[in-house]
Amino acid sequence: EPEVTQTPSHQVTQMGQEVILRCVPISNHLYFYWYRQILGQKVEFLVSFYNNEISEKSEIFDDQFSVERPDGSNFTLKIRSTKLEDSAMYFCASRAGDYSNQPQHFGDGTRLSIL
Amino acid sequence: AQTVTQSQPEMSVQEAETVTLSCTYDTSESDYYLFWYKQPPSRQMILVIRQEAYKQQNATENRFSVNFQKAAKSFSLKISDSQLGDAAMYFCAYRSWVMSHGGSEKLVFGKGTKLTVNP
């Protein structure tokens, strides 16, 4: 069964550094998402992406965050200048492009640790 | 804004027994979807079951079933014949539908219920 793939599984970065989290969505999917889960808390929506532009973003997704689909297969989340509070599990998800009840499929997540 | 509430931070069940996890939500929409996701210690998010709000029939997937009460805005998950591999965090999620840029949606999650299965 096709899967959403995320790399790396664990990223350790110094505060203030830029970090890029990578995702390869399921190949025929058209809608892409990033979610965040701070340890012990619920999963929170960050951003949705369709047709090469952001469809919706949450209050968390400020100017330090950006997303890109650079080559038609990868979907990346960039944090420009990381803060301690950015430490979390980041999940990528994708969904098929019709209007039916297709669910979002999640990757295994990237654990981001900011030192 | 939609909200999802899971009032049971932790639950436990004996192997082979049945357990029900509660979820309530708040929305003004009439058409939406509800999901249960499982997150084992490996931290991946796995879809367990989904329910369309316009369907009166409760969804079932093998040992997993839901009790969907639309008027009460309740969406509970029942796990029958519990197995050790069912131990995980279970998240209830509401799918919001926003018509923009050709359609987009986001999932709104509850805080989760940690299920322990005792041998």
Side-chain angles (χ1 to χ4, degrees), chain A residues 31 50 53 95 99 101 103-104, chain B residues 37 50 52 101-103 105:
Chain A
Y31 295 93
Y50 170 75
E53 60 182 10
R95 184 175 73 83
Y99 284 72
N101 62 347
Q104 294 180 21
Chain B
Y37 282 88
R50 60 189 172 190
E52 294 92 331
H101 298 285
E105 48 146 273

Side-chain angles (χ1 to χ4, degrees), chain A residues 31 33 35 37 39 41-45 48 50 53-56 89 91 95 99-108 111, chain B residues 4 33 35 37 39 42-45 47 50 52 55 91 95 97-107 109-112:
Chain A
Y31 295 93
Y33 311 85
Y35 291 83
Q37 185 184 29
L39 187 64
Q41 298 188 24
K42 64 179 176 180
V43 178
E44 301 172 290
F45 168 79
S48 60
Y50 170 75
E53 60 182 10
I54 290 173
S55 303
E56 187 179 358
M89 195 76 163
F91 291 101
R95 184 175 73 83
Y99 284 72
S100 67
N101 62 347
Q102 293 301 311
Q104 294 180 21
H105 295 265
F106 285 77
D108 288 351
R111 183 185 301 277
Chain B
V4 176
Y33 297 97
F35 304 87
Y37 282 88
Q39 187 181 44
S42 60
R43 301 301 298 273
Q44 63 185 143
M45 294 284 285
L47 176 67
R50 60 189 172 190
E52 294 92 331
K55 287 188 177 180
F91 291 96
R95 196 183 91 175
W97 180 259
V98 176
M99 292 298 295
S100 64
H101 298 285
S104 72
E105 48 146 273
K106 64 181 180 184
L107 290 173
F109 286 87
K111 289 187 175 181

Side-chain angles (χ1 to χ4, degrees), chain A residues 16 27 32 68 71-73 78 80 85 91 93 96 99 109:
Chain A
S27 62
F32 313 111
E68 193 178 34
D71 56 13
S73 62
K78 181 192 291 186
R80 192 167 300 118
E85 53 264 37
F91 291 101
Y99 284 72

Side-chain angles (χ1 to χ4, degrees), chain B residues 9-29:
Chain B
E10 295 187 28
M11 292 282 285
S12 63
V13 63
Q14 289 296 127
E15 198 175 1
E17 297 293 306
T18 295
V19 65
T20 299
L21 308 184
S22 301
C23 173
T24 59
Y25 58 95
D26 188 26
T27 183
S28 57
E29 298 176 336

